[in-house]
Structure formats: C-alpha cells, structure tokens
Amino acid sequence: MADGVLDPFVDRVQALLTQLDAGQRKALARDISRHLRGSQAKRIRENKNPDGSPYEERKPQPEMRKRKGSLRMFRKIHRTKNLKARASADEASVGFTGFSNQVARVHQYGLRDRVNERGLQHKYPERELLGLTDKDRDFIEETMVKHVDDALNG
C-alpha cells in the first residue's frame, strides 16, 4: 500500500485524534484494520485490483486444464491464517505472514521469483493484492469521525 494515501484527511483530524486516549485510538485502529482485512480478502478472492480491474491472467498451464473448477489465483492466500489485521494505539495494518508474505510481495510489485526447485525463474506481472479502494477510504473517514465524535461527546 502506498504511504501517505490518507495524509490529507489525517492532517485535518490530527488534533482531534490526539484528544483520544490510547485505548480509544486502539479501538479505532482495531475497527479499521478488521474492516480492511475483510475487504482486502474479498477483493483478492474476486481477483481484482483496488481500482476494480481484474488481475492480469496467469499463463496457461497444462496441468491446470485437467482440473475441474476455477482457475482463480490466490485461492488460499486470503484466509485469516495468512492475511492478518493488526492494531495498536498508533497504527492499523493488514499484511501477510510466513510464505504468503513472499508470494504476495512478488505479485504486489511484479518481481522475479523462482517457479520450481530447479531454479527456473519468471517475472510475474504486477497484481495489487493490498490497496485501498474508494469504499475503504470512505469507511476509514467515517469511522474516524464517528470515534472522535463519540469520544468528545460521549
């Protein structure tokens, strides 16, 4: 995810966020990270970039033709065991763990990686697994305003 995506909004509410205690900020971060984890997982299952465009299709593979069912990519990477939401009083984050982190990094940035044990390498196309959609940005903004409003008026 690009750094500074929410900077204009955060700058506007920074003074209000400092009025929240650590517990309230952590609750806000937890709400945001849980929602983002769910929306990222849903988008990955649908094989879509944050802008709504489909991922570039994988190269045809002979062994895949034998299988019945979907040829979707990233069939298991979106699961909770691989895609974690983390929150603290200072930040909310969503990211991959373990080997899934390596696979996601290669696809996120379109890097070169080994295909098999023999060392055959391939340059993968860029497929944006993690990123904010307009709906995500709206949710973050609404949630921040709601938490700050509840804290100051409640």
Side-chain angles (χ1 to χ4, degrees):
M1 197 175 338
D3 291 331
V5 173
L6 296 174
D7 283 347
F9 178 73
V10 172
D11 290 342
R12 291 186 298 208
V13 296
Q14 190 65 39
L16 296 173
L17 290 174
T18 57
Q19 294 180 12
L20 299 178
D21 64 28
Q24 292 168 325
R25 286 195 313 271
K26 186 172 182 176
L28 170 62
R30 187 174 44 247
D31 287 350
I32 290 172
S33 65
R34 282 181 181 167
H35 173 81
L36 287 179
R37 193 234 162 264
S39 69
Q40 300 299 308
K42 180 177 185 254
R43 201 175 39 72
I44 291 169
R45 276 192 309 271
E46 295 171 350
N47 283 327
K48 291 184 179 178
N49 289 307
D51 64 2
S53 64
Y55 290 152
E56 185 175 325
E57 291 187 15
R58 64 180 359 159
K59 287 174 62 176
Q61 300 170 19
E63 64 273 3
M64 295 296 279
R65 278 186 251 144
K66 295 175 188 173
R67 292 185 194 165
K68 292 184 179 177
S70 173
L71 296 178
R72 269 188 314 122
M73 293 178 288
F74 312 116
R75 288 187 312 242
K76 295 183 181 180
I77 201 169
H78 61 82
R79 293 182 178 172
T80 307
K81 138 180 153 174
N82 299 319
L83 183 59
K84 298 288 186 182
R86 294 178 189 85
S88 70
D90 299 321
E91 67 182 16
S93 65
V94 175
F96 294 96
T97 61
F99 181 69
S100 299
N101 186 28
Q102 168 65 16
V103 171
R105 188 176 67 81
V106 167
H107 286 275
Q108 179 84 12
Y109 300 112
L111 303 176
R112 180 173 288 284
D113 195 20
R114 283 188 4 199
V115 176
N116 60 21
E117 304 83 34
R118 295 180 306 202
L120 181 63
Q121 291 193 352
H122 176 70
K123 174 148 180 19
Y124 289 89
E126 190 172 313
R127 298 176 176 111
E128 202 168 342
L129 288 135
L130 297 178
L132 293 176
T133 64
D134 291 336
K135 287 175 103 175
D136 292 336
R137 287 186 184 96
D138 292 342
F139 174 82
I140 292 169
E141 184 174 342
E142 290 168 10
T143 304
M144 289 176 78
V145 169
K146 181 181 177 290
H147 272 266
V148 169
D149 186 47
D150 290 349
L152 296 178
N153 295 329

